[in-house]
Amino acid sequence: MDQAELRELFSAEGLRLLDSLPPFDSTADVVRTVSDLRKAGHPAGLVSAVLNQAKLRHRATTKFGSFADRMLFTEAGLEQATRLGVAAHHAGRFSDAGVKWVADLGCGIGADALAIAALDLEVTAVERDEVTAAIAAYNLAPWSNARVEHSAAEEANLAGVDGIYLDPARRDGARRLRDPGDWSPSLDFAFGLAELYPTGIKLGPGIDRELIPPGAEAQWVSVDRDVVELGLWFGALARPGIRRSALVISDAGTAEMTAAADSADEAAGALGEFVYEPDGAVIRARLIGDLARKIGGRMLDPSIAYVTSDTAHVTPFATCFRVLEDFALDKRTLKREIAARGIGTLEIKKRGVDIDPAEYRTALAPKGDASGTLMLTRVGGKRRALLVERVIG
């Protein structure tokens, strides 16, 4: 979004028109709406700005629910914004630690600042991009305890602040910045603040683990089985005795595994009646061994993140599958067996084997009314294909 589009959107006519639109649904709706708005005499620039925003609001409901209906967004800001449910967990850290005033450095469209303000904490949201800062100010306007500053994080006034939250920008346009020194602000700058204040830092879940300071609590977060972030927590925001955490959020609720360090893997053993696929947050946090011990299981292979057991357990930290058949990982054998069962809808999961699931599915030529799931993996060092069905999770 550029400044011209922002001005159109922020006009009294723009905001009134945006709120008057029906729910955004399909391309057909857009074409019809554009035609109707142009016939009503609205300028093309205003129509474009309003419809772009309606599209973003529709997409934003997956992150913000009904709150999206009164918020404004930029394309990049929505993509990078923290989901509201996750932001609430962030805010709770500051509240539980007794922090009274948080500086949200690199606030984007204001998702985390919104959650912090909702807990009656003072929050100063700092954003270097002028358009994004204006959007954040609009989103935070209902909270008198929130203010937005258009500034670089490194230049923010921290007088009176007693807690810091940072979400360093890790992209330059469409280009991903791999060197933490090139992030805005840099990771070294963030770590420097963590030595002075209770600090939370939001990072991508795939960050090099060697960059994680030994004194930080590292929490990987998944939402509906999608790992969305790594949060590093310092000072009073880090819980005593916890250095690794997997926070799993779904429609069923919230669950967490914690440990003082990476857990040791359980020994590998024979394939049981059930195989568990750990949640990605559990895998990233390296708590697979703890999970295996909780369910009385064992590793399927020393180097594979599957757990096997002779019994089915209800756990929010893994999806449980019943093993129906165990085949050698041979394309001709599998094609024959898939055809014999009339499986036309075939899900393929793979770990520890160099196979492209999409290409492999095409080669197996599934046809029929039945559905099935194949796990292509290693069991005890041997390449195997497990035909499985979901049981729990």
Short mmCIF file of all heavy atoms in Angstrom, two decimals, residues 209 212 218 220 243-245 259-265 283-290 293:
data_model
loop_
_atom_site.label_atom_id
_atom_site.label_comp_id
_atom_site.label_asym_id
_atom_site.label_seq_id
_atom_site.Cartn_x
_atom_site.Cartn_y
_atom_site.Cartn_z
N ARG A 209 19.55 -22.96 15.34
CA ARG A 209 19.48 -23.09 16.80
C ARG A 209 20.76 -22.63 17.48
O ARG A 209 20.74 -22.32 18.67
CB ARG A 209 19.17 -24.54 17.17
CG ARG A 209 17.74 -24.97 16.82
CD ARG A 209 17.58 -26.47 17.00
NE ARG A 209 17.82 -26.87 18.36
CZ ARG A 209 16.89 -27.08 19.28
NH1 ARG A 209 15.62 -26.90 18.98
NH2 ARG A 209 17.20 -27.49 20.49
N ILE A 212 20.48 -19.32 19.35
CA ILE A 212 19.67 -19.17 20.56
C ILE A 212 20.59 -19.06 21.78
O ILE A 212 21.36 -19.97 22.07
CB ILE A 212 18.72 -20.37 20.73
CG1 ILE A 212 17.79 -20.49 19.53
CG2 ILE A 212 17.92 -20.23 22.02
CD1 ILE A 212 16.92 -21.73 19.55
N ALA A 218 13.27 -20.79 24.88
CA ALA A 218 12.90 -20.89 23.47
C ALA A 218 11.59 -21.65 23.36
O ALA A 218 11.50 -22.81 23.76
CB ALA A 218 14.00 -21.59 22.68
N TRP A 220 8.63 -22.82 20.69
CA TRP A 220 8.10 -22.97 19.35
C TRP A 220 6.58 -23.09 19.46
O TRP A 220 6.06 -23.81 20.32
CB TRP A 220 8.68 -24.20 18.68
CG TRP A 220 10.08 -23.99 18.18
CD1 TRP A 220 10.47 -23.67 16.92
CD2 TRP A 220 11.30 -24.11 18.94
NE1 TRP A 220 11.84 -23.57 16.84
CE2 TRP A 220 12.38 -23.84 18.07
CE3 TRP A 220 11.58 -24.43 20.27
CZ2 TRP A 220 13.70 -23.87 18.47
CZ3 TRP A 220 12.89 -24.46 20.69
CH2 TRP A 220 13.95 -24.18 19.80
N ARG A 243 13.86 -24.10 29.33
CA ARG A 243 14.64 -23.57 28.21
C ARG A 243 14.09 -24.04 26.87
O ARG A 243 14.43 -23.49 25.83
CB ARG A 243 16.12 -23.98 28.35
CG ARG A 243 16.82 -23.29 29.50
CD ARG A 243 16.91 -21.79 29.25
NE ARG A 243 17.47 -21.04 30.37
CZ ARG A 243 16.77 -20.45 31.31
NH1 ARG A 243 15.43 -20.52 31.28
NH2 ARG A 243 17.34 -19.78 32.29
N ARG A 244 13.23 -25.05 26.87
CA ARG A 244 12.62 -25.55 25.65
C ARG A 244 11.13 -25.73 25.88
O ARG A 244 10.72 -26.29 26.91
CB ARG A 244 13.24 -26.88 25.21
CG ARG A 244 14.72 -26.79 24.86
CD ARG A 244 14.95 -25.98 23.59
NE ARG A 244 16.37 -25.88 23.25
CZ ARG A 244 17.14 -24.84 23.57
NH1 ARG A 244 16.63 -23.81 24.25
NH2 ARG A 244 18.40 -24.82 23.22
N SER A 245 10.34 -25.28 24.91
CA SER A 245 8.89 -25.36 25.06
C SER A 245 8.26 -25.56 23.69
O SER A 245 8.71 -24.99 22.69
CB SER A 245 8.35 -24.10 25.72
OG SER A 245 6.96 -23.97 25.53
N ALA A 259 10.68 -28.30 28.96
CA ALA A 259 11.83 -29.04 29.48
C ALA A 259 12.96 -28.07 29.76
O ALA A 259 12.97 -26.93 29.27
CB ALA A 259 12.29 -30.10 28.48
N ALA A 260 13.92 -28.51 30.54
CA ALA A 260 15.07 -27.68 30.88
C ALA A 260 16.10 -27.65 29.75
O ALA A 260 16.99 -26.79 29.74
CB ALA A 260 15.73 -28.20 32.15
N ALA A 261 15.96 -28.57 28.78
CA ALA A 261 16.92 -28.65 27.67
C ALA A 261 16.31 -29.56 26.60
O ALA A 261 15.24 -30.14 26.80
CB ALA A 261 18.26 -29.20 28.14
N ASP A 262 17.00 -29.68 25.47
CA ASP A 262 16.58 -30.67 24.48
C ASP A 262 16.47 -32.03 25.17
O ASP A 262 17.34 -32.40 25.96
CB ASP A 262 17.61 -30.79 23.36
CG ASP A 262 17.74 -29.50 22.54
OD1 ASP A 262 16.96 -28.57 22.77
OD2 ASP A 262 18.64 -29.46 21.68
N SER A 263 15.43 -32.79 24.84
CA SER A 263 15.27 -34.10 25.49
C SER A 263 16.04 -35.16 24.72
O SER A 263 16.19 -35.09 23.50
CB SER A 263 13.80 -34.48 25.57
OG SER A 263 13.29 -34.83 24.30
N ALA A 264 16.54 -36.14 25.45
CA ALA A 264 17.21 -37.28 24.82
C ALA A 264 16.17 -38.14 24.12
O ALA A 264 15.09 -38.39 24.65
CB ALA A 264 17.95 -38.09 25.87
N ASP A 265 16.49 -38.60 22.91
CA ASP A 265 15.57 -39.47 22.19
C ASP A 265 15.41 -40.81 22.91
O ASP A 265 16.35 -41.29 23.56
CB ASP A 265 16.06 -39.73 20.77
CG ASP A 265 15.85 -38.53 19.85
OD1 ASP A 265 15.05 -37.64 20.21
OD2 ASP A 265 16.49 -38.49 18.79
N ILE A 283 8.79 -31.24 17.43
CA ILE A 283 10.00 -31.59 16.69
C ILE A 283 11.02 -30.46 16.75
O ILE A 283 12.20 -30.69 17.04
CB ILE A 283 9.64 -31.93 15.23
CG1 ILE A 283 8.75 -33.17 15.16
CG2 ILE A 283 10.91 -32.15 14.40
CD1 ILE A 283 8.19 -33.45 13.78
N ARG A 284 10.57 -29.24 16.49
CA ARG A 284 11.49 -28.10 16.51
C ARG A 284 12.11 -27.90 17.88
O ARG A 284 13.28 -27.52 18.00
CB ARG A 284 10.74 -26.82 16.11
CG ARG A 284 10.24 -26.79 14.68
CD ARG A 284 11.33 -26.46 13.71
NE ARG A 284 10.80 -26.18 12.39
CZ ARG A 284 11.55 -25.89 11.34
NH1 ARG A 284 12.87 -25.86 11.46
NH2 ARG A 284 11.01 -25.66 10.15
N ALA A 285 11.33 -28.13 18.93
CA ALA A 285 11.84 -27.95 20.30
C ALA A 285 12.70 -29.12 20.74
O ALA A 285 13.27 -29.08 21.84
CB ALA A 285 10.67 -27.77 21.26
N ARG A 286 12.78 -30.15 19.92
CA ARG A 286 13.54 -31.37 20.24
C ARG A 286 13.07 -32.01 21.54
O ARG A 286 13.87 -32.33 22.42
CB ARG A 286 15.04 -31.08 20.26
CG ARG A 286 15.56 -30.68 18.88
CD ARG A 286 17.06 -30.56 18.81
NE ARG A 286 17.49 -30.13 17.49
CZ ARG A 286 18.72 -29.76 17.18
NH1 ARG A 286 19.65 -29.76 18.11
NH2 ARG A 286 19.02 -29.39 15.96
N LEU A 287 11.76 -32.21 21.59
CA LEU A 287 11.15 -32.85 22.74
C LEU A 287 10.49 -34.18 22.35
O LEU A 287 9.60 -34.67 23.04
CB LEU A 287 10.11 -31.92 23.39
CG LEU A 287 10.66 -30.59 23.90
CD1 LEU A 287 9.54 -29.74 24.49
CD2 LEU A 287 11.76 -30.82 24.95
N ILE A 288 10.95 -34.77 21.24
CA ILE A 288 10.35 -36.01 20.75
C ILE A 288 10.56 -37.14 21.74
O ILE A 288 9.67 -37.97 21.96
CB ILE A 288 10.95 -36.39 19.38
CG1 ILE A 288 10.75 -35.24 18.39
CG2 ILE A 288 10.30 -37.66 18.83
CD1 ILE A 288 11.52 -35.43 17.10
N GLY A 289 11.74 -37.19 22.36
CA GLY A 289 12.00 -38.25 23.34
C GLY A 289 11.05 -38.17 24.51
O GLY A 289 10.52 -39.19 24.97
N ASP A 290 10.80 -36.95 25.01
CA ASP A 290 9.85 -36.79 26.12
C ASP A 290 8.45 -37.24 25.70
O ASP A 290 7.72 -37.87 26.47
CB ASP A 290 9.81 -35.34 26.58
CG ASP A 290 11.02 -34.95 27.40
OD1 ASP A 290 11.80 -35.86 27.78
OD2 ASP A 290 11.20 -33.75 27.68
N ARG A 293 8.26 -41.03 25.69
CA ARG A 293 8.14 -41.59 27.04
C ARG A 293 6.75 -41.36 27.63
O ARG A 293 6.23 -42.20 28.38
CB ARG A 293 9.23 -41.00 27.93
CG ARG A 293 10.63 -41.56 27.60
CD ARG A 293 11.71 -40.98 28.48
NE ARG A 293 12.13 -39.65 28.05
CZ ARG A 293 13.03 -39.41 27.10
NH1 ARG A 293 13.58 -40.43 26.43
NH2 ARG A 293 13.38 -38.18 26.80
#
